[in-house]
Amino acid sequence: MHDLDSQAEYREVGGELVSGTIADSRTTHVEVLARRATGPISWRFRQPRLALFWFRSGLKELHLELDGRRIHSGIKQGTNLALLPASTSVVGEFEVAPSFDYTVVFLDPTVASDAGCHFNRPLIAFGNEDLQRSLSVLCREARNADNLYGLFAEGWAMQALALLARIDGSQAATVRPCGGLAPGSFRRVIDYIEADLSRPFTIEDLAQVAGVSPRHFMRAFRESAGQTPLRFVYSLRLERAKEFLLDPRRTATEVALDCGFSHAQHFSTAFKKATGLTPSDFRRAAMR
């Protein structure tokens, strides 16, 4: 991860913005966004306001460092909310579908403190049906903002703060200290894998590259990457396949073999399971 100025404000997200609606009120700033991407997207974020995210669709997993603490979590329909206190530093990446939608609501921190609500730690990948329903209504109002939108948004903010204050932090994904493989060892393993994804990989081979025992490698790699080594290789193969599919000169069979899949049908089945699209459909969508 990058060393960042602890006082700086920044907001950078990968992927291509497809559509966006922005609505402001005295106490809230709402963005309803849709993006598309051909692989994992990077995220750097630090803002002076309380930020509530609703990952509506297309976000699969996140791998982040929050104020220097690592968190890895899957995102599901029932646990697709995140709350970041003001000035929380976030650096990492999302694994996403080719298209993904999300909403972010920025709340004036003085409104929360005046209401007696104090949010001092991030909540990641949590769920609350009442809050999701209210966010759905807020998105609708934001898309059709009229002269009464400000009044609605201020009322919504107070209701949302009350719901958030009642949420038990145990619902959220665990934020744990950084650990795992030493950075140099981790980088060697990644470079070794990426050098030739067409070849088979074993835990013993990867552990030797890292310079540790296979047992220690399994545990430490998962701590560093947020998933098992072989699952990590599988994910890299799929992401490399997306890149190769953007080249119209490559056939699906060539892409399959170059990315380590035994044959085209195996590749097609795995790709559709991961992305919701066949390789051919993905290529057509990407070339539009």
Side-chain angles (χ1 to χ4, degrees):
M1 295 297 174
H2 305 284
D3 293 327
L4 301 171
D5 182 344
S6 61
Q7 301 302 315
E9 294 174 10
Y10 40 86
R11 187 180 178 199
E12 300 172 7
V13 60
E16 177 188 355
L17 183 65
V18 177
S19 65
T21 296
I22 297 176
D24 285 304
S25 72
R26 185 177 65 87
T27 57
T28 65
H29 173 82
V30 180
E31 299 180 8
V32 185
L33 306 171
R35 291 181 178 273
R36 61 187 176 194
T38 58
I41 62 168
S42 60
W43 191 33
R44 298 173 69 242
F45 182 91
R46 190 175 191 270
Q47 292 291 296
R49 292 170 290 180
L50 183 70
L52 174 64
F53 288 84
W54 178 29
F55 303 114
R56 300 193 307 273
S57 66
L59 182 67
K60 300 177 180 180
E61 293 185 6
L62 50 84
H63 311 283
L64 306 174
E65 282 190 9
L66 283 71
D67 291 334
R69 295 169 295 174
R70 180 175 291 126
I71 180 170
H72 306 287
S73 178
I75 299 294
K76 300 179 181 179
Q77 196 65 30
T79 55
N80 56 357
L81 300 172
L83 180 69
L84 298 178
S87 299
T88 301
S89 173
V90 183
V91 184
E93 69 176 23
F94 295 140
E95 292 183 19
V96 297
S99 61
F100 57 103
D101 306 309
Y102 63 100
T103 295
V104 57
V105 183
F106 292 98
L107 293 157
D108 186 336
T110 60
V111 176
S113 58
D114 290 348
C117 301
H118 302 283
F119 303 99
N120 300 315
R121 60 173 177 164
L123 298 177
I124 304 295
F126 71 95
N128 183 281
E129 291 184 2
D130 291 335
L131 190 55
Q132 287 179 320
R133 279 194 293 267
S134 74
L135 280 164
S136 179
V137 176
L138 179 66
C139 289
R140 185 186 67 208
E141 292 288 328
R143 290 189 180 102
N144 302 282
D146 56 15
N147 60 344
L148 293 176
Y149 171 77
L151 180 63
F152 173 87
E154 290 189 29
W156 179 92
M158 298 306 294
Q159 180 187 64
L161 288 169
L163 290 171
L164 288 166
R166 290 173 176 168
I167 291 173
D168 180 358
S170 64
Q171 294 184 39
T174 301
V175 178
R176 57 184 184 271
C178 296
L181 288 172
S185 296
F186 185 61
R187 186 68 258 168
R188 283 199 306 275
V189 172
I190 302 306
D191 289 344
Y192 176 75
I193 294 170
E194 291 183 332
D196 185 1
L197 281 168
S198 68
R199 61 188 165 185
F201 297 99
T202 66
I203 296 300
E204 290 73 20
D205 290 340
L206 297 177
Q208 185 174 14
V209 172
V212 298
S213 70
R215 182 175 181 181
H216 175 72
F217 175 76
M218 283 285 292
R219 179 193 60 76
F221 186 94
R222 185 162 191 166
E223 180 68 20
S224 292
Q227 53 190 323
T228 66
L230 297 184
R231 180 67 190 176
F232 183 84
V233 170
Y234 183 75
S235 298
L236 278 183
R237 283 176 166 152
L238 288 171
E239 294 308 319
R240 184 69 59 83
K242 292 176 185 177
E243 296 176 13
F244 286 169
L245 285 169
L246 298 180
D247 182 352
R249 296 168 298 180
R250 291 179 181 266
T251 68
T253 298
E254 289 172 339
V255 172
L257 296 177
D258 288 345
C259 293
F261 294 92
S262 56
H263 51 75
Q265 185 57 52
H266 177 211
F267 167 56
S268 181
T269 300
F271 193 89
K272 185 172 183 178
K273 183 177 180 180
T275 67
L277 299 171
T278 66
S280 297
D281 289 339
F282 177 87
R283 174 174 272 168
R284 280 193 292 267
M287 294 298 182
R288 285 175 185 169

